[in-house]
Amino acid sequence: MSASNLQKMAAAVQHSSVAQIAKPRLLMPNSSSAKGRAVLLIHGYTGGPHDMGYLAQRLQEAGYLVSVPRLPGHGTSLEDFLKSDAHDWLRASLDAFLDLKSEGLPVHIAGLSMGGVLTAILAAYLSPKSAILAAPALLTSNPILPLTPFLKLFIRKWERKRKKPCKDPELTPLADEYGRFYTPSTAAELYKLQKFGRKALKKISVPVFTISSKKDKAVPAKVASFVSSSVASQVKEELILAESPHVVVNDCEKERVADAIIGWLDRQD
């Protein structure tokens, strides 16, 4: 990286701050309930550690050491996001895995959406105890995504139709910051990861649990069967939800999802 680019990065950092709700988390289990195992939770594209908060708490209560990192460009500003890429997100996930692994415990990895893609890649090359893919963006319902490597050459961002207002006042500033515009350059990075993740599936031999939903408008429910038919794993399970939108780990069926994940983890002893 050139000196000028480093200066630009330093200047950008000077004016950035991580929202409280998006800060990374490390949750230690109570000594009485500790199971001697760890779980890495990886959030999705434009999301943050807050999306994994409920699941992280449930896993902690179940006796797991839980790490929820913040991916670069997330939880700060759209300008930071535009400066991040697939390499940054994968590197941060890898570093988080290695940090957790250094605790000397078996590590499971669970990821939501883009985090599910990152989980698949890590599972293919690092062989964690198991991999949990929640609405993994290995398939997408967005017809624009494959076009983004071309669109990014001409369009930096465009304003998109706003979704319903965020119900959580603590999350509203981030929802407004990241939800107002569509950014082809970062979407192209997601598409790059998606293609890499699909190829990585055939290298996965660890147990895999895939969760999808019939009402997910971003990732089709068939992604669960796609994963199961693609991985080399002997142990693989699927859960198809009926009502959840895309953030399956933190919405209307989050209790069922957490119960299913904890049950899955317990069966991997």
Side-chain angles (χ1 to χ4, degrees):
M1 181 178 292
S2 68
S4 61
N5 284 336
L6 286 172
Q7 289 172 344
K8 290 178 182 178
M9 181 180 294
V13 170
Q14 183 180 8
H15 300 290
S16 297
S17 61
V18 179
Q20 182 65 35
I21 197 172
K23 289 184 176 181
R25 307 172 189 187
L26 181 65
L27 286 69
M28 306 295 293
N30 295 326
S31 57
S32 59
S33 62
K35 292 188 175 180
R37 288 178 285 166
V39 184
L40 174 64
L41 300 181
I42 308 175
H43 68 77
Y45 181 83
T46 73
H50 51 276
D51 290 326
M52 314 302 284
Y54 176 78
L55 178 58
Q57 180 182 348
R58 288 289 307 277
L59 289 170
Q60 179 191 33
E61 292 169 354
Y64 293 90
L65 170 61
V66 185
S67 173
V68 193
R70 178 187 66 86
L71 299 180
H74 293 74
T76 53
S77 69
L78 187 65
E79 288 304 311
D80 280 349
F81 187 51
L82 285 164
K83 293 181 177 72
S84 62
D85 59 24
H87 177 272
D88 296 330
W89 306 329
L90 182 55
R91 183 72 228 189
S93 302
L94 172 60
D95 286 347
F97 175 83
L98 294 176
D99 286 344
L100 200 52
K101 189 75 172 176
S102 70
E103 297 296 323
L105 303 176
V107 178
H108 301 265
I109 310 177
L112 167 70
S113 190
M114 181 178 78
V117 178
L118 292 165
T119 296
I121 295 169
L122 295 185
Y125 293 94
L126 301 178
S127 297
K129 185 71 174 177
S130 78
I132 301 161
L133 313 181
L138 293 159
L139 300 180
T140 181
S141 302
N142 182 359
I144 296 177
L145 190 64
L147 303 177
T148 53
F150 174 76
L151 292 174
K152 72 176 185 178
L153 302 175
F154 305 97
I155 305 172
R156 187 169 187 263
K157 62 183 180 181
W158 72 74
E159 194 163 2
R160 58 185 176 184
K161 184 179 180 181
R162 302 304 299 274
K163 299 179 181 179
K164 295 180 181 179
C166 180
K167 297 179 181 179
D168 185 345
E170 189 177 8
L171 185 56
T172 296
L174 284 181
D176 290 343
E177 181 73 13
Y178 288 85
R180 183 180 176 185
F181 292 100
Y182 190 86
T183 52
S185 63
T186 54
E189 296 299 309
L190 170 59
Y191 183 54
K192 184 187 300 182
L193 278 178
Q194 182 188 71
K195 292 191 293 182
F196 185 20
R198 287 177 185 170
K199 292 179 180 178
L201 288 176
K202 63 183 179 181
K203 296 180 179 291
I204 298 177
S205 58
V206 301
V208 176
F209 182 30
T210 309
I211 303 168
S212 63
S213 177
K214 295 178 181 178
K215 289 193 175 180
D216 185 346
K217 295 182 179 180
V219 173
K222 66 180 180 181
V223 72
S225 58
F226 173 74
V227 170
S228 293
S229 64
S230 300
V231 297
S233 311
Q234 294 300 309
V235 179
K236 44 197 174 185
E237 295 183 16
E238 302 171 17
L239 172 62
I240 312 297
L241 302 169
E243 300 296 332
S244 293
H246 183 52
V247 186
V248 296
V249 297
N250 196 35
D251 214 283
C252 60
E253 293 176 282
K254 64 183 181 182
E255 294 88 355
R256 183 185 177 191
V257 170
D259 288 343
I261 288 175
I262 291 169
W264 161 265
L265 294 172
D266 288 344
R267 291 194 296 277
Q268 304 315 307
D269 283 337

